[in-house]
Amino acid sequence: MQIQQVGVIGAGTMGNGIAHVFARSGYSVVLCDVEQRFLERGLATITKNLEREVAKNKITTEEKASALKKIDPVTDRARLAECDFIIEAATEKFEVKTEIFRDLDRLARSGVILASNTSSISITKLAALTKRPEKVIGMHFFNPVPVMKLVEVIRGLATSQETFATVRELAVKLAKTPVEVNDAPGFVSNRVLMPLLNEAMYAVMEGVATAEAVDEVFKLGMAHPMGPLTLADFIGLDVCLDIMRVLQDGLGDPKYRPCPLLIRMVDAGWLGRKSGRGFYQY
Ligand code: 3HC
């Protein structure tokens, strides 16, 4: 099946970035979220990021206008029945994704691949919720999606070679670099990244150094573009906590215990850049 129309569930940070790159690569996108205001916010972000690309001469004003025209924002999930490929980028909670995958399996045509942009949840488990486990796969993008080259392509236990090859090719068409990873908690990216961010939080909590000092160490000593606490704020502290819990549950090793400071900050609603306050004020 030729993929022309793509469905994206979730217009948040990752979903709007994914819609952006598909539309910029010429695909029609049905962007679905539960409330009109989330769609409006997502479209405003896409417009701002396309403008950034125009300012940097990466795309023309016409290409920006044509990408925006290709995105159809909807609150009615039934509209995804038209799509040739669907990617879910909703909240990182298994219950939320369970409901979505069951519904997508009912809505989508039988040959349609259902992908998840999950950052850590088992693809094998999501696949088992459907009657098409061979057509369920992980397609994990990185924030900011229009900029970061990587797509982790995650095979669930039942994912077919045909599904894997289609998604790998799709990532290349989006000008991304696919890397094949098997299904395991946190895959490769978050299995390695999140314990680093979590440990940086312990260093702050224990008074080893300030957030600024920890970040300077990583920027100047390890040439990271952002220090770990700036990066945690950028990803969202709630997302970091959800991922640490998936690592803790899935791998069972106490080394994945979420930092108590992280838990407290999420409880306080200090979620990082998106809420105006995290390890830094925005
Ligand atoms: N959309 C489009 N373009 C964007 C953009 C966006 N949202 N954000 C930045 N850009 C572009 C800029 O226009 C600029 O383009 P240029 O190279 O042509 O000049 C380029 O990206 C660099 O941006 P800036 O000059 O504004 O700022 P920086 O040089 O500080 O780079 C950054 C910003 C790319 C975000 C950089 O700090 C970085 O790479 N940070 C690390 C990001 C990272 O690690 N992401 C992974 C997070 S983990 C994840 O997503 C997985 C999940 O499961 C948790």
Side-chain angles (χ1 to χ4, degrees):
M1 182 201 304
Q2 235 218 320
I3 297 174
Q4 288 173 330
Q5 179 153 230
V6 169
V8 179
I9 294 213
T13 310
M14 299 307 284
N16 75 58
I18 294 168
H20 174 140
V21 295
F22 271 106
R24 195 181 59 186
S25 301
Y27 293 89
S28 300
V29 178
V30 179
L31 177 61
C32 179
D33 209 320
V34 286
E35 283 187 43
Q36 190 60 30
R37 65 193 170 106
F38 299 148
L39 291 166
E40 280 161 17
R41 200 166 56 195
L43 281 173
T45 304
I46 295 171
T47 307
K48 190 183 77 199
N49 287 334
L50 285 167
E51 270 158 14
R52 229 192 243 255
E53 292 176 323
V54 172
K56 299 276 172 148
N57 291 321
K58 288 183 187 159
I59 57 169
T60 62
T61 317
E62 293 72 36
E63 283 165 336
K64 174 194 137 194
S66 129
L68 279 174
K69 248 195 260 157
K70 285 197 166 292
I71 303 175
D72 186 7
V74 303
T75 48
D76 177 12
R77 208 187 275 164
R79 290 284 311 284
L80 296 171
E82 305 157 16
C83 295
D84 312 314
F85 173 83
I86 303 177
I87 176 162
E88 166 276 320
T91 310
E92 198 62 3
K93 297 262 189 282
F94 186 64
E95 315 79 74
V96 174
K97 294 192 194 285
T98 297
E99 188 275 321
I100 292 174
F101 268 79
R102 288 207 172 115
D103 204 30
L104 289 180
D105 191 34
R106 188 180 56 78
L107 277 172
R109 294 194 304 275
S110 62
V112 170
I113 293 174
L114 305 180
S116 176
N117 176 61
T118 177
S119 38
S120 56
I121 289 172
S122 163
I123 301 302
T124 304
K125 269 186 171 171
L126 293 177
L129 298 166
T130 71
K131 295 193 183 75
R132 61 180 91 194
E134 73 291 350
K135 298 227 164 272
V136 175
I137 192 162
M139 190 178 194
H140 184 206
F141 289 84
F142 292 78
N143 184 17
V145 181
V147 180
M148 305 312 271
K149 287 279 169 219
L150 176 65
V151 174
E152 264 185 317
V153 184
I154 301 119
R155 285 177 190 268
L157 194 57
T159 308
S160 71
Q161 179 55 27
E162 193 192 353
T163 299
F164 175 76
T166 304
V167 171
R168 186 177 49 192
E169 201 183 307
L170 196 54
V172 172
K173 287 192 180 142
L174 299 177
K176 301 290 180 198
T177 303
V179 173
E180 177 181 354
V181 174
N182 288 322
D183 196 13
F187 317 127
V188 170
S189 53
N190 283 320
R191 167 97 174 244
V192 179
L193 175 66
M194 280 305 153
L196 168 71
L197 305 193
N198 198 50
E199 199 60 30
M201 295 170 197
Y202 272 110
V204 173
M205 187 182 80
E206 291 169 9
V208 179
T210 61
E212 288 82 356
V214 172
D215 280 349
E216 282 297 273
V217 166
F218 276 85
K219 277 199 302 190
L220 303 180
M222 290 87 185
H224 287 199
M226 286 174 165
L229 301 158
T230 304
L231 183 56
D233 275 358
F234 182 65
I235 291 169
L237 299 186
D238 50 340
V239 177
C240 293
L241 181 56
D242 287 340
I243 297 172
M244 283 312 295
R245 291 202 156 125
V246 170
L247 295 178
Q248 189 181 35
D249 290 350
L251 298 164
D253 190 314
K255 74 180 175 184
Y256 298 110
R257 184 168 81 105
C259 175
L261 176 60
L262 172 63
I263 297 172
R264 273 210 306 275
M265 289 175 76
V266 172
D267 284 346
W270 298 357
L271 306 182
R273 203 181 277 210
K274 64 186 166 190
S275 74
R277 179 160 189 181
F279 285 92
Y280 297 92
Q281 303 254 20
Y282 299 91

